[in-house]
Amino acid sequence: MPKESVLSIADKEAIKIEKLIFHIILTDDINPIFLEEVKITDEQQKFFRDRLADASQGRQFIFTENNSPIKVLAEEIVNASDEDFLRISKDITSRFRTTHTSNMNDGVFIISIASIRTRKLLFLIKLDHKKVYEYKLKNNKALLEEVKNTFSEDKTAIQKVALIDINPNVVWDVLVFDRSCPSGITKFFGNFLSVIPRETESDLTKKAQSCARRWASLNKFEGINEPSAYKNKARSYLTFVDTFNSEQYIEAVIQDSDKEKQGYLRESLRNFMMEDGLYGQIFIPKKDVLTKKECKNIRQTAEGVKIEWEGSLEENNISISDIKDRQGLYKIVIKTSDIKDIQ
């Protein structure tokens, strides 16, 4: 079954830049300035590898059709010879320039093939002309003289990012970051890639609502409390934020006075979100899907007894032990001022 996971920490550490070229795009020129060669040092390769790792989480998209141009070119270029890699890179850049007809800044379009062990990915990125790197042209060849790691200082230089994985073992085709539309994709970039979101904002809101509970349910024996406590914090976060941010979500869900335990649990939830395909996705939560039904907590004992409540356990005078006693049983205590005979 195809996985929803994005790149794990181990995947990022294994990234290797196999091939890389960039072409120059100028506002006043309909045709890009095509370069024939880019030589990069080991240090510069690390720079681009780190940028790829930065982009390895993003909103997940799928191609609209199997024979869309970028999908076909991606399938060709990942295993292409050096000569064909250069040819296809020019084709991709030309398509990007032709599709981008308005509100464009001078910049460069980078095409790179990266490998993660036996897995290969196509990495596309548009950078505006800021102090990101310097280059000079010599007989239509480019020699990178210096790569200045100003990515963290001036993130606005990176405008469009697409990480394309043609591996059928993952459910997404493209991870996208679009600075002009952080929670989605601009119309022109979507048309260029021929993609649509794999999940709607409503789908992602429901997924984020249930993520903390599912994580807690699967890790009950690792110092984790009753799952509803984390579910309630997740719901509260989604209710009050305008844009979903993975790290903010993790901080909101995991709060513990024991800093060592807090760090461990946050890392555990982060890894779970990566496997779940939620980590790194940016979207606008849909408040209308956070209904009372989604808020309800339901537990069923081995004897078939169901317990239903909304809110926290404490608010409902309920306590559920996190571990079994010597007889191998959980202890559930409900305190109430009245009991109604319903059936």
Side-chain angles (χ1 to χ4, degrees), residues 59-74 92 95-96 99-100 109-110 122-125 160-165 173-178 184-197:
R59 186 73 182 270
Q60 295 181 7
F61 288 80
I62 55 174
F63 289 115
T64 55
E65 50 190 42
N66 287 328
N67 61 346
S68 61
I70 296 301
K71 182 178 188 296
V72 172
L73 291 172
I92 293 173
R95 290 175 183 275
F96 179 85
T99 308
H100 200 343
F109 195 68
I110 297 172
L122 172 61
F123 182 49
L124 307 176
I125 183 168
K160 314 285 181 188
V161 176
L163 187 61
I164 302 174
D165 189 345
D173 296 319
V174 190
L175 298 179
V176 171
F177 170 74
D178 192 333
I185 193 170
T186 52
K187 183 177 180 180
F188 111 80
F189 201 41
N191 290 338
F192 161 69
L193 294 169
S194 296
V195 296
I196 57 173

Side-chain angles (χ1 to χ4, degrees), residues 298-307 332:
I298 304 174
R299 302 290 181 270
Q300 181 170 308
T301 70
E303 295 76 18
V305 178
K306 279 190 178 182
I307 307 170
I332 300 173

Side-chain angles (χ1 to χ4, degrees), residues 11 109 111 153 162 341:
D11 288 337
F109 195 68
I111 300 95
E153 298 172 9
D341 187 355

Side-chain angles (χ1 to χ4, degrees), residues 166-180:
I166 59 171
N167 189 333
N169 293 326
V170 293
V171 296
W172 51 269
D173 296 319
V174 190
L175 298 179
V176 171
F177 170 74
D178 192 333
R179 184 162 295 281
S180 299

